Amino acid sequence: MKDLVVPLIAAEACDATRFGRKASNQAALARAGLPVPDGFCLDAEAYRRQIAALGLERSARGVFSAEDGPTARRGALAMKLGLLDHPIMPEIAEPLLGAWRELSDKSRSLTCVRSSALVEDRAGASFAGQFESFIGIEGEADFLTAVRSCWAALWMTRALRYMATRDIDPADTAMAVLVQPLVSAHVSGGGLSQTADGHVVLSATWGLGSSIAQGEVTPDRYVLGRDGRVVEIAAGRKEHAAGCAHQGGSATRLVPEPMIHAPCLAEAQIRELFELLREAEALMGLPVE
């Protein structure tokens, strides 16, 4: 029987049919030598076993096939409550906690628990922002709750609506989970290796990237040509920085006035991120985000 908990650096972690593309892409980049945080993956089979142990298969099947809205909503609610209200079965929880303790001891950091659905990050169905990620996890109880919450996210209304528009039955898919240490970043953001007009674009803000994901700041925007030449720098408005309450008091802090409109990234950092994006693009064989 295959292990349900697999190190991110392991070759089998690259299997998107077991761990979802979010985790498998990170595993592929890590194995290629790119600077990916350490971590481990929980096989989507664990989700399936939990569903079976709780007797929820019938509720799952009733959501997509229901002929009326109330029946579908009751089925989705049964799935969410079942996954959230019951502990993870011991044969899953014990190796999962063992891996989490080892990662926490090794990284000496809080952890992040990230959904990695088998249906997300695919052409035509990115599922961006549809599922859940939890940052700054410190205790074992919170960790296991975060895993169950990632499982339950497959049955959230927004995700079900997204799947319905693409004729995806949630009962035919499953949720894997990716666990990594929290990087207490001074600056965070994202990047596109190729836009519609052929440019490379970076975005950045002070602190953790959650403030961008939640629309709380206007991040800096850096536009580069395919040759790495900086075409445009548009400083955003970054009045506060997201952090972690366990690592220095408040989860957010005000940014000093001179830094609100100051660019977050120096020229050398822009160049380094450009090279990493292009390397990831070459490894994946397509434009990447």
Side-chain angles (χ1 to χ4, degrees):
M1 184 170 59
K2 295 178 179 177
D3 290 335
L4 295 179
V5 180
V6 172
L8 187 60
I9 198 65
E12 58 188 305
C14 298
D15 186 350
T17 66
R18 292 177 60 193
F19 302 106
R21 290 195 179 276
K22 181 183 292 181
S24 67
N25 287 345
Q26 293 242 342
L29 295 174
R31 289 179 60 78
L34 271 73
V36 176
D38 195 7
F40 62 88
C41 317
L42 178 64
D43 196 322
E45 178 61 21
Y47 165 90
R48 296 190 186 99
R49 292 186 192 179
Q50 184 80 358
I51 293 291
L54 296 174
L56 291 172
E57 295 103 324
R58 189 170 183 177
S59 294
R61 283 292 168 198
V63 174
F64 190 75
S65 60
E67 296 181 359
D68 62 274
T71 299
R73 287 193 290 272
R74 284 195 295 270
L77 181 60
M79 295 302 298
K80 288 181 284 191
L81 292 178
L83 288 166
L84 291 170
D85 287 351
H86 292 85
I88 298 175
M89 51 200 299
E91 52 265 47
I92 297 172
E94 290 172 7
L96 186 57
L97 279 173
W100 180 78
R101 293 182 190 117
E102 183 177 346
L103 178 65
S104 298
D105 291 343
K106 180 180 177 182
S107 66
R108 297 187 179 278
S109 171
L110 304 179
T111 49
C112 302
V113 179
R114 311 177 63 194
S115 62
S116 185
L118 302 190
V119 291
E120 68 179 310
D121 287 350
R122 302 185 303 174
S126 71
F127 282 84
Q130 301 301 313
F131 300 123
E132 296 287 357
S133 291
F134 300 90
I135 63 173
I137 301 298
E138 185 176 31
E140 294 183 2
D142 287 346
F143 168 65
L144 293 177
T145 298
V147 171
R148 299 201 311 272
S149 298
C150 283
W151 286 344
L154 195 61
W155 300 94
M156 295 299 179
T157 300
R158 62 177 183 268
L160 293 175
R161 287 174 177 166
Y162 191 96
M163 283 186 268
T165 62
R166 287 155 179 80
D167 201 31
I168 297 171
D169 186 343
D172 289 335
T173 188
M175 179 69 79
V177 178
L178 172 61
V179 182
Q180 294 174 290
L182 173 68
V183 177
S184 299
H186 296 293
V187 176
S188 299
L192 293 171
S193 69
Q194 187 173 337
T195 62
D197 57 5
H199 288 119
V200 176
V201 174
L202 304 171
S203 62
T205 191
W206 304 113
L208 302 181
S210 56
S211 59
I212 297 179
Q214 295 170 9
E216 297 172 348
V217 299
T218 302
D220 296 343
R221 176 180 167 89
Y222 306 84
V223 182
L224 299 90
R226 296 292 287 177
D227 58 358
R229 179 177 55 87
V230 177
V231 176
E232 177 189 359
I233 297 178
R237 183 175 180 85
K238 311 166 293 293
E239 295 179 322
H240 70 270
C244 182
H246 298 288
Q247 295 181 324
S250 175
T252 60
R253 58 181 173 81
L254 295 178
V255 172
E257 182 67 32
M259 296 171 61
I260 292 176
H261 296 289
C264 293
L265 298 175
E267 184 176 343
Q269 294 170 319
I270 296 171
R271 181 70 190 183
E272 181 180 2
L273 291 169
F274 168 82
E275 297 292 347
L276 287 170
L277 269 176
R278 293 299 304 274
E279 188 175 353
E281 180 183 76
L283 286 166
M284 293 298 179
L286 75 169
V288 298
E289 177 182 6

